[in-house]
Amino acid sequence: MSEESDSLRTSPSAASLSENELPPPPEPPGYVCSLTEELVTKAREELQEKPEWRLRDVQALRDMVRKECPTLSTSLDDAFLLRFLRARKFDYDRALQLLVNYHSCRRSWPEVFNNLKPSALKDVLASGFLTVLPHTDPRGCHILCIRPDRWIPSNYPITENIRAIYLTLEKLIQSEETQVNGIVILADYKGVSLSKASHFGPFIAKKVIGILQDGFPIRIKAVHVVNEPRIFKGIFAIIKPFLKEKIANRFFLHGSDLNSLHTNLPRSILPKEYGGTAGELDITAWNAVLLASEEDFVREFCPPVSVCDSILGQALPTEGLASDAQCDDSLRAVKSQLYSCY
């Protein structure tokens, strides 16, 4: 970050007290950094995070929220706001926009975000549709493994799968290591049929990608797709118009060539289902982590939405979300895209 931008970092609460004024009461214990020295260095180099400025940056973002979005119902805790600063490399304006988008996305898709808690998604978790592998990749990224073939559409709608993905991301991003290192997605499309793929249309694609790119404070470092059938060309044709170039370039299609996958994800961290040596794929451990977090999700992520939040969309323009016209154009082409690839 330039010297000019550094000079803009000020502590908005640093007003001096007069002799007759009493100091404010002590605040409750605040943020304590849990990063290793190695990750502190990585955050400094990649995210422009300076430990000596960290809490002043958080205070600056907090003051911006209070001034520019006074009706926004959001946590203003140090640790929570820090997620958004890290996700936007400590650019105050972009971090604020991300925070606004985060809450806007939650309000705009009630089918996904209402009653969002682990106990409401036991069927999805038990199906094995998604899990987080026990080992991180060489860069320290957690690996989110998604297996669409485990979903039976007659059991529940596709939005339940999306709820489970979002729930998992919320849990992962609580870790400061994940905030700095980001995540990797491993998507196994083995056995995905045309009828199942048709559930993932432009409307769903627009919503999901809008959240991942512009409405959630997480860094997606790579998306590895394996065992994709010919139909995946149609699926990718649906989602590609909504992808930013930076994210699109992080998609890697390996087909059934696991050796290609292993050049990016070592065999030592993968389960044997993907040619790895880390044992069989186990979904129970991650399911237990989520289910044990029930109270946290209810308290932190399922609050009643304030009526005054309805005017939030006017506070700042929503940045980066795909346009309705773009979605409509893709909708007209979706069937031909799918059938031509099958």
Side-chain angles (χ1 to χ4, degrees):
M1 192 171 285
S2 67
E3 292 183 1
E4 179 180 354
S5 59
D6 277 351
S7 68
L8 296 177
R9 297 179 181 223
T10 59
S11 177
S13 60
S16 60
L17 296 173
S18 68
E19 293 182 357
N20 296 327
E21 287 181 315
L22 295 176
E27 295 183 355
Y31 167 79
V32 177
C33 182
S34 63
L35 297 176
T36 64
E37 287 299 320
E38 180 181 0
L39 286 177
V40 168
T41 300
K42 183 176 183 178
R44 182 188 291 271
E45 294 175 351
E46 296 186 9
L47 307 182
Q48 313 301 321
E49 176 176 344
K50 298 181 179 180
E52 63 271 23
W53 288 95
R54 186 187 289 130
L55 293 183
R56 295 178 68 179
D57 291 338
V58 169
Q59 184 61 46
L61 179 57
R62 182 182 294 117
D63 288 345
M64 289 178 69
V65 173
R66 288 170 173 163
K67 179 180 179 180
E68 301 184 32
C69 307
T71 62
L72 179 61
S73 297
T74 184
S75 170
L76 295 176
D77 291 347
D78 293 347
F80 181 76
L81 294 179
L82 193 53
R83 302 174 188 178
F84 296 87
L85 285 166
R86 285 172 171 154
R88 292 298 181 261
K89 298 186 177 182
F90 283 76
D91 182 313
Y92 297 164
D93 291 328
R94 294 177 65 227
L96 177 62
Q97 184 68 66
L98 179 61
L99 179 63
V100 170
N101 289 353
Y102 172 84
H103 288 286
S104 178
C105 289
R106 291 172 64 92
R107 289 195 321 278
S108 67
W109 206 359
E111 299 93 334
V112 168
F113 295 108
N114 285 355
N115 195 37
L116 186 66
K117 55 186 179 180
S119 62
L121 293 165
K122 286 184 177 180
D123 290 344
V124 182
L125 299 178
S127 74
F129 169 78
L130 89 169
T131 192
V132 174
L133 302 186
H135 304 289
T136 60
D137 80 350
R139 296 176 296 180
C141 303
H142 279 290
I143 302 171
L144 172 58
C145 181
I146 300 175
R147 298 183 292 171
D149 68 304
R150 296 304 182 103
W151 171 49
I152 301 176
S154 60
N155 288 352
Y156 46 81
I158 191 172
T159 48
E160 292 298 285
N161 294 329
I162 297 168
R163 282 159 58 80
I165 292 173
Y166 191 85
L167 195 78
T168 291
L169 294 178
E170 286 282 9
K171 184 61 182 177
L172 285 172
I173 204 59
Q174 291 178 3
S175 164
E176 289 197 278
E177 292 184 10
T178 300
Q179 294 169 26
V180 174
N181 290 328
I183 66 166
V184 166
I185 297 175
L186 173 60
D188 182 359
Y189 277 85
K190 181 179 180 180
V192 174
S193 64
L194 174 63
S195 61
K196 186 173 291 188
S198 65
H199 290 268
F200 192 74
F203 175 80
I204 299 291
K206 172 188 173 184
K207 288 284 192 178
V208 172
I209 294 171
I211 291 171
L212 294 180
Q213 291 188 143
D214 299 296
F216 196 85
I218 201 162
R219 307 173 72 204
I220 299 177
K221 306 301 291 183
V223 179
H224 295 284
V225 181
V226 297
N227 298 319
E228 68 274 15
R230 286 183 298 170
I231 190 63
F232 186 80
K233 293 181 180 178
I235 298 174
F236 196 68
I238 294 171
I239 68 175
K240 191 172 182 179
F242 308 123
L243 292 173
K244 294 180 178 179
E245 183 179 2
K246 181 178 180 179
I247 296 295
N249 291 337
R250 293 178 178 178
F251 271 74
F252 302 93
L253 309 184
H254 302 283
S256 58
D257 183 5
L258 294 182
N259 288 328
S260 173
L261 175 66
H262 297 157
T263 62
N264 296 275
L265 300 177
R267 296 175 68 241
S268 60
I269 67 173
L270 292 172
K272 72 175 188 178
E273 287 85 348
Y274 302 110
T277 60
E280 295 185 354
L281 183 62
D282 176 26
I283 66 171
T284 59
W286 182 251
N287 288 356
V289 169
L290 288 178
L291 292 169
S293 305
E294 177 81 6
E295 292 185 6
D296 291 339
F297 276 99
V298 171
R299 181 176 61 253
E300 297 183 22
F301 304 116
C302 301
V305 178
S306 171
V307 174
C308 62
D309 264 358
S310 62
I311 65 173
L312 174 63
Q314 302 174 4
L316 289 173
T318 302
E319 175 187 273
L321 302 183
S323 68
D324 290 338
Q326 192 177 20
C327 182
D328 291 341
D329 290 342
S330 296
L331 180 60
R332 287 191 289 269
V334 59
K335 289 186 178 180
S336 61
Q337 290 277 15
L338 290 174
Y339 280 98
S340 65
C341 297
Y342 197 66

